[in-house]
Amino acid sequence: MSSLSAEERKNLIVRLRRIEGQIRGLQRMIDEGKYCVDILTQISASRGALKKVGLKVLDSHINGCVKNAISKENGDEEIIAELMNVIDKFTD
C-alpha cells in the first residue's frame, strides 16, 4: 500500500509526464542526428529528474510503510532487509 498522499501522487504524475516528454525529445534528437554532447546532456537531465521521483517515493516508503511496520513491530528484520534491498536497487 502506498503511503503517498493524493497530492503527492498527482505531483509525481506531473513530473513523470515531464520526464516522458524529455525521453520523446531524446528520441527526436537521436533521430535527427543531433550533437552527441547535447544528447548526453539531456540523458543526464532525464536521469536526474527520474532519480528525484524515485527519492520522493523512497522517502514516502521510509516515513510511511517502514515507520509504521517498525512501530507495530511487524517483522523489523524483514522490513529493514526489504528496505536495504530497495535502496541497493535504487542506487545501482
Side-chain angles (χ1 to χ4, degrees), residues 4 8-9 12-13 19 21-23 28 32-33 46-48 51 59-60 66 73 75 78 84-85 87 89-90 92:
L4 291 166
E8 289 170 321
R9 285 193 302 270
L12 289 177
I13 293 298
I19 294 166
Q22 286 179 301
I23 301 303
R28 265 191 316 276
E32 294 169 2
S46 298
R47 289 177 65 192
K51 185 174 184 178
D59 178 69
S60 176
V66 173
E73 297 183 31
E78 290 176 34
M84 295 308 297
N85 187 35
I87 291 171
K89 287 179 183 176
F90 185 71
D92 275 348

Side-chain angles (χ1 to χ4, degrees), residues 53-76:
V53 170
L55 286 171
K56 181 62 184 164
V57 173
L58 182 60
D59 178 69
S60 176
H61 178 63
I62 291 169
N63 288 298
C65 304
V66 173
K67 186 176 176 181
N68 289 338
I70 289 175
S71 70
K72 294 176 184 174
E73 297 183 31
N74 290 340
D76 295 356

